[in-house]
Amino acid sequence: MVATLGDYHVHALGHGEGEFTLGRLEEFALQAHKAGLAELGLAEHDELLHRFDGEVWASACRGNRPISLRLGLEVSFRPGRLREIRALATRYPFDYLIGSVHDLDGWPFDHPDYREGYQAWEIDELYREYFRVVAQAAQSGLFDVIGHLDLVKVFGYRSRRPVVELAAAALQAIADAGLAVEINTAGLFKPAAEIYPAEELLRACLARGIPITFGSDAHRAAEVGRELWRAAALARRVGYRSYVRFRRRRAELVPL
Ligand code: ZN
Ligand code: FE
Ligand code: FE
Ligand code: ZN
């Protein structure tokens, strides 16, 4: 069922604990193959890009394997980083850039050590602020994919108003800018216990013609492809009949 799918959100470096070696990339590729995937998209966190090794990557790509490798980058979007991100994007021949919002005004809201920060917010205001920054990420023109669209639910704090309403302007910005959103299974293993994005958000994405990619957000080889079959089943249930692949920042639609 997932034989043509790619896992487009994989961190071989983890949060810095992994080494960027050919052996490690081979492990990740092997796991992707075992998981029945056709593509593996490496998307290191941009703050670890200095540890990416272009030569190691090139030799991984030369290897003869059933998995095709793609080079992405997961960028932490902040409104003040536009120039810096534009420069990052030219450092390597990326196939795609994922724009992710991980912090608001310097507060890393997805980090367990900073969880008490939620106390300072009325929850719907927080969701509004989060999606306001997501909209800016989409409008920046810097990205191909929006990462974990509703990451703000990570610890299970749910909005009072329907999330589709709070996200409406962001979804419109994503659609207008022609970006894809990823279906990211890592949320299943967080207190939110749910794929990003929630089903109702994904329906709203489909209604606006927003394409999708798939990602496990693996930080270890064993996590590559994790629950992607559930992501594909969710996409089909919602009504998606295609997803996108990227090569040199050009999207190609593939039947689902
Ligand atoms: Zn991470
Ligand atoms: Fe992320
Ligand atoms: Fe990630
Ligand atoms: Zn991520």
Side-chain angles (χ1 to χ4, degrees):
M1 170 192 193
V2 294
T4 70
L5 289 191
D7 186 340
Y8 266 35
H9 192 144
V10 165
H11 304 286
L13 287 167
H15 286 142
E17 66 281 7
E19 290 301 318
F20 202 86
T21 60
L22 187 56
R24 189 160 168 95
L25 294 175
E26 304 269 3
E27 265 179 60
F28 274 65
L30 181 63
Q31 181 57 35
H33 182 54
K34 281 189 192 156
L37 303 173
E39 284 189 305
L40 179 66
L42 186 79
E44 300 294 359
H45 296 294
D46 74 274
E47 60 269 33
L48 294 176
L49 192 55
H50 60 282
R51 293 195 38 204
F52 174 86
D53 183 327
E55 282 174 33
V56 170
W57 179 251
S59 31
C61 291
R62 275 194 302 272
N64 190 10
R65 68 185 88 256
I67 292 285
S68 109
L69 299 180
R70 289 287 175 269
L71 182 59
L73 184 68
E74 180 181 21
V75 178
S76 271
F77 176 79
R78 285 176 218 115
R81 293 193 72 200
L82 298 183
R83 285 170 54 114
E84 186 191 346
I85 296 168
R86 205 165 287 126
L88 281 176
T90 65
R91 296 264 307 274
Y92 296 99
F94 292 112
D95 292 305
Y96 58 93
L97 256 65
I98 302 175
S100 294
V101 177
H102 295 118
D103 57 83
L104 295 170
D105 247 327
W107 169 45
F109 63 85
D110 68 333
H111 197 294
D113 294 351
Y114 298 87
R115 198 170 159 170
E116 77 283 356
Y118 284 85
Q119 305 311 318
W121 287 89
E122 193 281 311
I123 194 67
D124 287 0
E125 280 311 309
L126 174 60
Y127 272 65
R128 276 198 190 89
E129 177 60 14
Y130 169 76
F131 283 115
R132 196 177 65 77
V133 181
V134 169
Q136 289 180 321
Q139 287 157 353
S140 72
L142 294 168
F143 306 115
D144 306 292
V145 182
I146 292 293
H148 36 61
L149 176 63
D150 55 355
L151 179 64
V152 66
K153 75 182 175 189
V154 57
F155 293 120
Y157 302 113
R158 299 297 181 143
S159 58
R160 293 174 210 275
R161 304 200 64 83
V163 64
V164 170
E165 184 186 310
L166 300 171
L171 295 179
Q172 197 53 52
I174 292 167
D176 290 346
L179 299 195
V181 300
E182 62 169 11
I183 305 185
N184 180 320
T185 55
L188 290 167
F189 306 93
K190 298 290 163 64
E194 184 183 86
I195 283 175
Y196 310 111
E199 181 164 336
E200 61 266 37
L201 272 175
L202 194 59
R203 286 184 191 283
C205 288
L206 179 65
R208 287 169 171 83
I210 298 170
I212 50 170
T213 63
F214 296 94
S216 65
D217 220 329
H219 285 62
R220 300 184 294 119
E223 294 169 354
V224 172
R226 193 161 65 155
E227 305 289 343
L228 282 203
W229 66 273
R230 277 176 72 170
L234 168 66
R236 294 238 1 139
R237 181 165 76 244
V238 160
Y240 274 96
R241 293 296 176 265
S242 65
Y243 65 98
V244 279
R245 281 179 183 162
F246 286 95
R247 194 178 181 97
R248 296 294 177 100
R249 311 209 58 184
R250 298 198 36 180
E252 177 202 358
L253 272 180
V254 186
L256 183 61

